């Protein structure tokens, strides 16, 4: 752990009310697991974190549902998935291209592949998806995104 994290997690001169060694290791693991992903040039994410797995919605026809982002990225890198089969939908508003497929985008970025971007501007279904997402974040869009790690340090 860094000196900064140690000062918050029971380092020298602080009171430790729990097992500091265990908490420090958990903090180190969380930092190592996190990944900051920058949006492609001209694009913005519409959320500030992403789930490590694609949705497993039973009604979905998405071929990679339930798979991890890293697993899909590995398949993209190995040529088992063509980037055109993992399109990135976006809507352009006020000169900003807002990404609708966060995990697909992240998989392509991790794999260092050239994604297929699909402009959905004007399509009522996709416009509503964007409206719903922007409402969750007060209209903010983001230059970068991080992996959601689930639970906090306990």
């Amino acid at each position: 752990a860094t000196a900064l994290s140690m000062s918050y997690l029971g380092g020298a001169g602080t009171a430790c009310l729990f097992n500091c060694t265990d908490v420090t290791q958990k903090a180190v693991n969380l930092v190592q697991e996190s990944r900051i992903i920058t949006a492609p040039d001209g694009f913005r994410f519409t959320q500030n974190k992403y789930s490590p797995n694609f949705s497993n919605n039973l009604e979905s026809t998405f071929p990679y549902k339930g798979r991890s982002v890293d697993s899909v990225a590995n398949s993209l890198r190995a040529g088992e998935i063509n980037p055109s089969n993992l399109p990135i939908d976006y809507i352009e508003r006020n000169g900003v291209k807002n990404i609708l497929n966060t995990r697909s985008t992240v998989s392509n970025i991790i794999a260092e592949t050239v994604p297929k971007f699909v402009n959905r501007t004007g399509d009522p279904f996709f416009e509503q998806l964007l409206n719903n997402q922007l409402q969750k974040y007060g209209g903010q869009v983001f230059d970068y995104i991080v992996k959601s790690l689930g639970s906090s340090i306990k």
Side-chain angles (χ1 to χ4, degrees), residues 5 13 23 25 32 51-52 64 95 121 124 131 146:
S5 64
V23 171
Q25 187 57 53
Q32 289 172 342
S51 169
Y64 313 113
T121 304
N131 290 339
V146 296

Side-chain angles (χ1 to χ4, degrees), residues 20 23 34 38 42 59 63 70 73 96 117 124 126 128 140 142 149:
C20 293
V23 171
S34 68
T38 303
E59 299 166 4
D70 288 333
V96 176
F117 290 100
F126 291 98
Q128 188 59 53
Q140 285 186 297
F142 305 91
L149 299 176

